[in-house]
Amino acid sequence: MGFSQIALGESDYHRINSVLRAMQQELDSELVLLIHRSGQQIATDGPAQNLDLTSLSSLAAASLAATDGLAQIVGEKEFSVLFHQGRRRSIHISSLDGQFCLVLLFGERVSPGLVRWKVKKASGGLTQLLQEHQGRAATATDAKSSLAKDSACLLFTDDDIEKLFGK
Amino acid sequence: MTFINYVAREINCKIVYYGPGLGGKTTNLKYVYDITNPENKGKLISLATETERTLFFDFLPLDLGQIRGFSTRFHLYTVPGQVFYDASRKLILKGADGIVFVADSQEERLDANLESVSNLHQNLKEQGFDLARMPYVLQLNKRDLPNAMPADQLKKLLLVKGEPVFEAVATKGTGVLDTLKAIARQVLIELRKSA
């Protein structure tokens, strides 16, 4: 293997966002953030989107990865949930399907136990959606498929690439 | 792992700066951060020890501009170079789209360079990746030091597959941007192949 990618087309983007929105509303969280384990931000919802989500994604993925390392040292497959409790805000980070993480930011009014229980309940649907997306992407060789049509936009020329670097 | 969002028209890529301890990986990122316009960069995050040695990683998100209407965002990471931080290096390598190897040109650091290249091969292999098939650039840093080995000699010893090589003095910025452009170019060409 030399190169891997996740390509998110319009329908999957909206489906994932609607699941995140429902989760955000049900949990009354300030932020729901779906990220890849490599630290890339995939989708987000909630009122706290003015935060530095790029840095948050990178650090959350790194925290979960470090926790996985700790788990292996003590003979566990993984510690699937990370919880950071602050005075006014807390962060709940959970692993989804081994490839993704779900990050929730919530205030002091929401109980951590409730968040944990509801995230567990809601994660199943999101995991299934991501698995379906990955499955479709793996078989998107048909030129008529929406992903294949989307990816035609990436057929940039050498000139396009050089222009990016101001030459 | 490149993430392409067709709705937001964004391409996000991950580049990892690898190499022996004190070789100048963090200095590369700091230079890029210093000379980039505020609107094209995010916060530079350094998880370092009290003595400014990288403990986990440095992270710098960069927006390189638009290509065919897509914003190209590169997430630059460094790994901790010290030998005993191998577990952290493996974590940071996860999902890398391209790798820059920052070699320390000083003669007494040759063994450290060779050990680090070997460690990179091994860690990629463990994750199912093959360096020979990945975007990869070699940077020979610290070319200004009196004990720097001749570049040709270093190339012979460190080249993996005929990758682009850049001589650099990262503290002054020499070669830093050329290195970054070369790896970004390779990543985009690789992305085009997958379309």
Side-chain angles (χ1 to χ4, degrees):
Chain A
M1 189 163 59
F3 205 76
S4 60
Q5 62 172 248
I6 289 182
L8 204 56
E10 196 160 351
S11 65
D12 282 323
Y13 179 81
H14 291 306
R15 286 170 73 195
I16 288 171
N17 270 293
S18 68
V19 173
L20 294 189
R21 174 149 302 168
M23 202 180 270
Q24 186 270 326
Q25 286 169 350
E26 193 180 347
L27 288 164
D28 194 22
S29 64
E30 295 187 32
L31 185 77
V32 182
L33 181 64
L34 175 68
I35 59 181
H36 188 261
R37 295 290 292 254
S38 65
Q40 309 267 25
Q41 176 190 330
I42 308 286
T44 184
D45 199 273
Q49 293 189 48
N50 57 333
L51 295 175
D52 180 355
L53 300 184
T54 308
S55 299
L56 182 57
S57 302
S58 165
L59 290 169
S63 294
L64 198 58
T67 309
D68 275 354
L70 289 175
Q72 281 164 20
I73 288 170
V74 300
E76 283 291 318
K77 190 179 167 221
E78 64 172 6
F79 293 137
S80 56
V81 171
L82 253 178
F83 181 64
H84 300 292
Q85 187 163 18
R87 281 201 305 174
R88 289 181 300 112
R89 280 174 158 173
S90 299
I91 297 179
H92 182 283
I93 305 172
S94 53
S95 173
L96 281 182
D97 195 28
Q99 282 198 71
F100 300 91
C101 325
L102 190 64
V103 181
L104 273 102
L105 177 69
F106 54 93
E108 56 196 339
R109 287 181 296 123
V110 185
S111 114
L114 186 68
V115 170
R116 191 174 175 145
W117 180 70
K118 286 196 173 177
V119 166
K120 198 171 177 183
K121 206 172 128 202
S123 292
L126 193 55
T127 302
Q128 193 184 343
L129 200 55
L130 291 166
Q131 282 172 344
E132 283 171 15
H133 168 261
Q134 295 290 77
R136 274 197 307 279
T139 55
T141 50
D142 177 359
K144 287 178 186 165
S145 77
S146 60
L147 261 185
K149 273 190 275 183
D150 281 338
S151 70
C153 312
L154 302 176
L155 289 170
F156 24 73
T157 64
D158 289 347
D159 273 355
D160 293 331
I161 294 174
E162 292 311 316
K163 270 185 210 157
L164 189 65
F165 300 119
K167 285 188 180 173
Chain B
M1 191 239 29
T2 313
F3 171 53
I4 307 157
N5 186 333
Y6 289 105
V7 182
R9 296 191 79 76
E10 283 175 6
I11 297 169
N12 295 274
C13 309
K14 178 174 179 175
I15 291 173
V16 175
Y17 284 68
Y18 212 91
L22 293 174
K25 301 176 291 295
T26 301
T27 310
N28 265 266
L29 253 63
K30 281 184 175 164
Y31 180 78
V32 173
Y33 178 81
D34 286 343
I35 61 147
T36 305
N37 292 328
E39 62 270 25
N40 296 119
K41 67 184 175 189
K43 201 184 282 180
L44 173 63
I45 292 173
S46 283
L47 304 182
T49 65
E50 286 172 3
T51 53
E52 295 200 5
R53 299 296 302 273
T54 303
L55 175 65
F56 198 179
F57 61 84
D58 306 302
F59 169 67
L60 173 62
L62 265 191
D63 190 340
L64 284 191
Q66 298 240 329
I67 184 164
R68 289 221 170 176
F70 279 81
S71 294
T72 52
R73 295 192 174 154
F74 284 81
H75 293 181
L76 312 185
Y77 286 81
T78 67
V79 297
Q82 296 179 85
V83 175
F84 51 87
Y85 287 137
D86 198 36
S88 303
R89 279 193 291 278
K90 289 179 189 179
L91 300 179
I92 305 307
L93 266 184
K94 198 167 191 168
D97 296 304
I99 292 163
V100 172
F101 188 89
V102 180
D104 187 331
S105 295
Q106 298 179 90
E107 196 161 6
E108 59 269 35
R109 297 299 286 160
L110 177 61
D111 285 350
N113 288 324
L114 292 168
E115 188 180 357
S116 185
V117 170
S118 163
N119 176 256
L120 171 60
H121 271 290
Q122 183 59 36
N123 284 343
L124 283 172
K125 199 173 160 191
E126 279 179 23
Q127 295 184 24
F129 286 86
D130 178 3
L131 188 54
R133 295 177 61 194
M134 282 189 79
Y136 181 64
V137 169
L138 172 63
Q139 182 189 83
L140 306 179
N141 193 23
K142 306 195 184 182
R143 297 307 302 159
D144 58 333
L145 296 186
N147 52 345
M149 288 175 68
D152 285 344
Q153 205 178 333
L154 264 178
K155 278 187 218 169
K156 265 187 201 160
L157 293 164
L158 296 178
L159 269 178
V160 172
K161 53 172 183 176
E163 65 273 17
V165 183
F166 296 92
E167 295 190 26
V169 182
T171 49
K172 293 177 183 159
T174 312
V176 170
L177 287 187
D178 290 336
T179 305
L180 175 60
K181 286 175 185 176
I183 192 67
R185 184 180 289 115
Q186 280 192 45
V187 168
L188 290 172
I189 289 170
E190 205 62 35
L191 182 61
R192 181 174 66 188
K193 281 184 200 165
S194 69

